[in-house]
Amino acid sequence: MASIPQFTVLFLYSTALSVLGTLVVSEIPQERAMPRLQLGEYTPAKLEPTKQREEPIGQQELKVNFYATTCPNAEVLVTQEMKLVQAEDPTLMPSLIRLHFHDCFVRGCDGSVLLDSGSGTEEKDATISRNLRGFSTIDRLKKVVENECPKVVSCADILAMAAREAVFLGPRYDVETGRRDGSISIDNETYTNLPPVNGSITAIKCLYAKKNLTSKDLVVLSGAHSLGVSHCSSFSYRLYNYNGTGSTDPTLNNTYAEKLKQQCSPNDDNTIVKMGSGNPLMLSSGYFKSVQDMQVVFNSDEALLHNKATRAYVDEQASATSSQKFFNDFSQSMINMGRVQVLTGNKGVIRSVCTDYY
């Protein structure tokens, strides 16, 4: 998820950020020239037919290989270009996942997060969106596809394909395509549609339910927080002034809290830290062990322990000897999220330039 992207991002107009919008990557030390995401014995998720989810807004029109006849090389072109992008800047990968999360949660997966009139009133202009990255990459991918198939493939679909490639760049799930682009983008809508990082599990579940996503989708997609980094300012309230008490959040592991304090001073708006304990460029089921041990930066991560279903999944993955189930579940939940409030058929438009209004 989100720059895990990350999604830094502020919520409630200045103090919190999106669960899925925290995949922020800006200055990760590059331990390797071109890290690849090794998924071990990962096998692609078995795709659940769209009709089983009973989506109300035309999602049944999404399908794998939607462009098989109109632009048969679309996915190949995106895959090839994404490999070049990763080689040039691997820190962009979590940010592209986060960008897709943000797009789907605000207005549905319609590419509205990409729109930019220059008026300062679009989704990307909201305070909560201030650290979104990857816009130029989507423009780059769109241009490559447009050169072969003008005005055929939507920006929303290209963003979904890019997010898939950003996670796996190797074994990968099938992306359902057929989305069309929206023509509305409103900054204030970000504040009411993105799950709050400091929200209760009840509040977060409610927002997911409004998107027709389940508790399992919630906990699985939260696993994207193994990716990326976050600014200290997004969680420093947990270190220095939790709930206005002037003390540390008691749900934080004491050793972990002290480690974070060494990296993040009060009122630090610039320092970034890894959101997980592993490589911030690699999706990892190790996130769930961190949740179990209360060594996570966001309250929304710790909140997963306060619901029977989400806690059961955390415990299962924290003790798992293989990441295969998590990777399969993550693939399916990404597919589920990609179905949220899409525009299909004769709804929406196909933009030639992803930032421009049609």
Side-chain angles (χ1 to χ4, degrees):
M1 122 131 232
S3 196
I4 119 193
Q6 316 303 262
F7 236 119
T8 294
V9 184
L10 303 179
F11 191 72
L12 299 177
Y13 298 95
S14 65
T15 59
L17 75 172
S18 158
V19 170
L20 295 179
T22 51
L23 301 177
V24 183
V25 178
S26 54
E27 298 177 6
I28 298 176
Q30 296 186 23
E31 300 175 0
R32 315 175 190 178
M34 181 181 172
R36 286 187 67 83
L37 306 183
Q38 302 295 334
L39 302 189
E41 69 272 48
Y42 168 81
T43 54
K46 182 178 180 181
L47 186 65
E48 295 177 359
T50 309
K51 63 182 180 181
Q52 291 184 3
R53 296 187 59 79
E54 299 180 353
E55 297 285 3
I57 316 180
Q59 283 87 329
Q60 71 274 10
E61 298 178 42
L62 293 179
K63 65 179 182 179
V64 176
N65 294 324
F66 178 85
Y67 301 106
T69 57
T70 56
C71 190
N73 291 326
E75 293 204 36
V76 173
L77 292 170
V78 170
T79 298
Q80 290 175 342
E81 197 66 21
M82 278 293 291
K83 288 180 179 179
L84 297 176
V85 171
Q86 191 203 34
E88 295 163 10
D89 184 3
T91 69
L92 271 172
M93 299 302 104
S95 297
L96 291 169
I97 300 167
R98 177 195 168 202
L99 198 60
H100 181 45
F101 285 163
H102 190 290
D103 187 50
C104 290
F105 265 75
V106 176
R107 290 195 65 84
C109 309
D110 67 349
S112 58
V113 70
L114 306 171
L115 286 168
D116 187 0
S117 67
S119 65
T121 59
E122 279 89 12
E123 291 172 34
K124 63 167 60 175
D125 300 309
T127 303
I128 197 170
S129 310
R130 67 179 185 174
N131 288 301
L132 288 173
R133 297 175 67 223
F135 296 105
S136 61
T137 297
I138 301 303
D139 289 340
R140 171 177 170 176
L141 297 172
K142 175 64 169 174
K143 184 176 181 179
V144 169
V145 176
E146 282 290 301
N147 286 340
E148 181 157 328
C149 310
K151 298 202 70 172
V152 172
V153 181
S154 69
C155 296
D157 276 345
I158 287 176
L159 181 52
M161 293 179 207
R164 184 268 307 278
E165 299 299 330
V167 177
F168 296 131
L169 284 172
R172 60 190 192 277
Y173 55 91
D174 289 330
V175 174
E176 294 175 327
T177 46
R179 301 169 190 80
R180 289 170 66 85
D181 298 321
S183 299
I184 299 173
S185 185
I186 303 172
D187 54 354
N188 285 339
E189 291 186 343
T190 61
Y191 303 113
T192 55
N193 284 284
L194 292 172
V197 73
N198 62 347
S200 68
I201 189 64
T202 300
I204 297 169
K205 281 184 61 181
C206 181
L207 282 170
Y208 268 71
K210 288 180 179 179
K211 309 300 179 183
N212 202 30
L213 295 171
T214 67
S215 295
K216 183 174 181 179
D217 291 321
L218 189 166
V219 64
V220 170
L221 291 173
S222 293
H225 284 182
S226 62
L227 290 160
V229 300
S230 173
H231 284 79
C232 293
S233 56
S234 297
F235 59 85
S236 61
Y237 70 95
R238 298 188 71 197
L239 302 177
Y240 299 107
N241 192 28
Y242 186 65
N243 285 343
T245 62
S247 58
T248 302
D249 183 349
T251 66
L252 267 175
N253 175 280
N254 289 335
T255 302
Y256 183 63
E258 291 305 313
K259 178 181 178 181
L260 290 177
K261 288 179 181 180
Q262 291 175 11
Q263 300 175 76
C264 302
S265 59
N267 304 314
D268 184 344
D269 293 328
N270 299 313
T271 304
I272 57 174
V273 299
K274 294 192 303 181
M275 288 169 52
S277 58
N279 187 330
L281 303 177
M282 297 180 67
L283 185 70
S284 170
S285 60
Y287 160 82
F288 298 101
K289 178 61 175 172
S290 296
V291 172
Q292 191 180 65
D293 293 340
M294 299 183 179
Q295 297 186 36
V296 283
V297 295
F298 301 123
N299 279 123
S300 58
D301 296 317
E302 191 270 336
L304 298 175
L305 299 175
H306 301 288
N307 172 267
K308 183 177 180 181
T310 57
R311 176 157 195 156
Y313 192 87
V314 168
D315 292 342
E316 175 190 36
Q317 291 303 312
S319 60
T321 57
S322 167
S323 295
Q324 180 174 351
K325 185 178 188 303
F326 168 59
F327 288 129
N328 286 341
D329 289 342
F330 188 80
S331 297
Q332 186 60 59
S333 288
M334 287 287 284
I335 292 166
N336 296 342
M337 186 184 71
R339 296 168 176 168
V340 171
Q341 294 174 288
V342 297
L343 301 173
T344 59
N346 59 2
K347 298 178 181 178
V349 299
I350 303 294
R351 299 200 294 270
S352 298
V353 178
C354 292
T355 57
D356 291 351
Y357 282 83
Y358 182 76

